[in-house]
Amino acid sequence: MDDTIRLVLAEHGKLAVDVNSIDESTDLFASGMTSHASVNVMLALEDAFDIEFAENMLKKSTFESIAAIRAGVLEMTSA
């Protein structure tokens, strides 16, 4: 799962650093991801994992780190 998340971030996150060089708790917004890029990341994650994020999850904190994204994906795949 983390590999897929990192791949999506590499393709859509527009990070200022190599996604493979960051820790799972690194703030992605501090690493260069914009709110616009986070929407593209969200859409790509939905496609990659065949999920749809719940409306209450559509907030910055859901996409602020790899760990937060993983938690969100896990919540949606177990729903």
Side-chain angles (χ1 to χ4, degrees):
M1 176 178 294
D2 282 9
D3 289 343
T4 302
I5 292 170
R6 285 180 185 275
L7 181 62
V8 166
L9 286 169
E11 291 178 357
H12 302 281
K14 299 187 179 181
L15 299 174
V17 297
D18 180 359
V19 71
N20 294 311
S21 70
I22 60 174
D23 184 78
E24 69 174 21
S25 61
T26 298
D27 184 328
L28 297 173
F29 294 98
S31 298
M33 187 166 71
T34 64
S35 58
H36 181 341
S38 71
V39 172
N40 291 333
V41 166
M42 179 200 69
L43 294 171
L45 289 166
E46 288 182 336
D47 286 344
F49 292 102
D50 195 27
I51 59 171
E52 185 172 333
F53 285 99
E55 189 172 331
N56 67 331
M57 297 179 75
L58 302 181
K59 53 191 174 190
K60 186 175 180 178
S61 61
T62 303
F63 304 96
E64 70 186 351
S65 68
I66 291 171
I69 292 171
R70 181 188 326 110
V73 170
L74 287 172
E75 184 175 331
M76 297 315 303
T77 56
S78 65

